[in-house]
Structures are given as C-alpha cells and as structure tokens.
Amino acid sequence: MYVFLSIAAALSLFPLIWAVISATNANTDILRGTMLPGTHLIQNFNRLTELTDLGRAFWNSARNATMATFISIVICSLAGYGFEIYHSKAKDRLMSVLLLSMMIPFAAVMIPLFQLTANLSLLNTTLGFMLPTLSTAFLIMLFRQNTRTFPQEMIEAARIDGLNEISIFLRMYVPTMKSTYAAAITITFMGTWNVFLWPRIIMISPESITMPILISNLMAGYVADFGVIMLAVTIATLPTIVLFSFLQRYFAEGMTGTIK
C-alpha cells in the first residue's frame, strides 16, 4: 500500500517539481528536457517583471480571491445553517432546486451573467468578479450536510440560557464547525484564485489583470519563454499551497462532516 501511495504522490508532485526546476532554467535548457536546477532564476524573474505587471496581477488575484472567499463563506454558512436548523419541506424543495443548478454548465449562463454585470456597471470591478461565487449550491450543501451532525441539544440549551440566534451562530456554531469552514475556505479560495474564464470576460482593462490571465498572455506570444512561464506558474501556485498547508489539518474533517 505504501509503495502504491508513494508512486501516486510522486506522480502528483511531478508537475509542480518540474515547474519549479524549469523556473530556474533558460528556455533552451527546458526545450532540451533538463531536469536539474539551473542558474537563470534571477534572469527569468527580471524578464517576467519586464513583460508583465506581476505585482498588480498578484494583488488583484489576492484581493479578489480573499474578498470572494470571505463573503461566500459568510453567506453560504448562514444559508446552510438556516436550511437545517429551521428545517421545513419548503426548504427541502428549494434545496433541490439549488442542487439542480449545479448541473447547469457555466457556459450556459455566461452570456446573461455578463449582460447583468454590464448593466450594473460592474465590469472591471471586484464585485463583478465575485458575483458568480457569492453563493454556490455546493457550499450551501456542504454546510447543510455538516450542520446535521451539530448537536441540537447545544442550541436548545443556549436558547434556554437566553442567547439569541445570532449569538448562537457566532459563539457556538462557528467555533464548533471550524473544520467545515476550513474545507470551505480552501475550496473557495482555490477556485476563485485559479478561475480564468470569468475574469477573462469582465476584466477588460489591463489594470484588472489577474494571475491566470497573466500566464495566458505569456503563452500567447509567437515565441514562448518557458522559463518565464514556469516562474509565473510557480508564483501563482504559492498562495494555494500556503493556504492548504495551514488548513490541511481540518480539511479532511470538514469534507467528511467530523465534529470534535
């Protein structure tokens, strides 16, 4: 079993390792297929900053992903809590409609969503970027399913002690469901950080560029400098690696609905 897991881990890590090694090599070395670290990291970084506005793209991605994650987690956790704690048949039917919406591909709603964003004058704005992710059926379902394992006796005891519903949610539900929040934060941040199609449509001005668009622009030239591209890919990967490293302890528990 450990041999199989080691092979699977090596195959999973190989693209990342190859990207990091390629970021230190010249384009000619990469085309020759070298798998050893090189000495062109500084040159590739200088070339990357000359060709692109790396700082602005990184800041735009970080700002958009952080704000979208925070607002989405707040909305979806409240919705999931409400669906389960204040349970009714009408809410079950509404939840079924939400789950059906997960089967609709984004391409089917892309044009009307763009028209809505344009009519609201939200092009090239963070709010326009966040609009499709402020509330997702998957996160609502995740919080609702995990709320089913939340001890109802705690809520009843808190109500008897005089706590209002907002205090129960903030002081009891949120700390107890921290593993679910960790999983939701990881999933949402990775999704909003790596999203390409939606910002490509609404982020028209160069000042609104994000990291996925920056990498796409590097690959769109007549001659691709793979050392520069792989350095940009490595930089774009770092925030998600750091976030997952901090939250991995709770990620598996959150996905399985475990509450300690």
Side-chain angles (χ1 to χ4, degrees):
M1 180 180 63
Y2 285 106
V3 172
F4 172 77
L5 292 176
S6 299
I7 295 174
L11 293 175
S12 300
L13 290 174
F14 175 76
L16 178 61
I17 296 173
W18 182 73
V20 174
I21 292 175
S22 298
T24 65
N25 283 292
N27 196 42
T28 54
D29 297 326
I30 297 173
L31 294 176
R32 286 201 301 264
T34 181
M35 288 301 299
L36 296 175
T39 59
H40 286 74
L41 178 61
I42 302 300
Q43 293 89 328
N44 289 338
F45 182 79
N46 291 335
R47 180 65 174 164
L48 177 61
T49 54
E50 289 174 4
L51 294 175
T52 64
D53 193 346
L54 178 63
R56 181 182 294 275
F58 192 92
W59 164 250
N60 287 340
S61 290
R63 179 197 60 203
N64 295 345
T66 302
M67 293 182 63
T69 300
F70 176 77
I71 297 176
S72 178
I73 293 302
V74 171
I75 294 176
C76 293
S77 62
L78 285 170
Y81 177 85
F83 268 111
E84 185 58 32
I85 299 302
Y86 308 104
H87 186 267
S88 67
K89 292 184 178 180
K91 290 186 177 69
D92 286 341
R93 289 191 288 268
L94 179 58
M95 191 67 204
S96 299
V97 174
L98 289 175
L99 294 178
L100 286 174
S101 68
M102 295 175 61
M103 302 180 184
I104 302 175
F106 180 74
V109 298
M110 182 173 59
I111 295 177
L113 190 60
F114 173 80
Q115 292 176 336
L116 173 64
T117 306
N119 291 334
L120 294 175
S121 301
L122 295 178
L123 298 179
N124 297 313
T125 64
T126 303
L127 182 57
F129 173 89
M130 296 188 300
L131 192 59
T133 59
L134 290 182
S135 178
T136 62
F138 175 78
L139 285 185
I140 295 175
M141 179 188 67
L142 176 66
F143 278 104
R144 185 199 183 196
Q145 292 300 114
N146 289 349
T147 302
R148 291 182 175 179
T149 62
F150 186 77
Q152 299 290 329
E153 296 80 7
M154 294 178 61
I155 297 178
E156 296 299 332
R159 288 170 178 169
I160 293 175
D161 290 339
L163 282 179
N164 57 38
E165 298 301 317
I166 296 179
S167 297
I168 293 174
F169 179 83
L170 294 177
R171 299 174 60 181
M172 300 180 63
Y173 178 81
V174 173
T176 305
M177 302 292 289
K178 60 183 180 182
S179 58
T180 305
Y181 276 94
I185 289 172
T186 304
I187 294 171
T188 307
F189 185 88
M190 292 178 63
T192 52
W193 177 271
N194 295 319
V195 66
F196 171 76
L197 183 58
W198 179 240
R200 188 68 171 180
I201 296 172
I202 68 165
M203 299 301 189
I204 302 172
S205 68
E207 291 75 17
S208 304
I209 189 173
T210 59
M211 287 301 295
I213 298 176
L214 180 143
I215 296 172
S216 174
N217 292 342
L218 288 173
M219 299 176 62
Y222 290 104
V223 179
D225 191 334
F226 293 104
V228 174
I229 294 173
M230 288 305 165
L231 179 58
V233 170
T234 302
I235 295 173
T237 308
L238 290 177
T240 54
I241 294 177
V242 173
L243 178 67
F244 187 79
S245 298
F246 279 107
L247 299 181
Q248 63 175 336
R249 175 183 175 186
Y250 306 102
F251 181 79
E253 295 178 3
M255 294 303 296
T256 56
T258 305
I259 296 180
K260 292 184 179 181

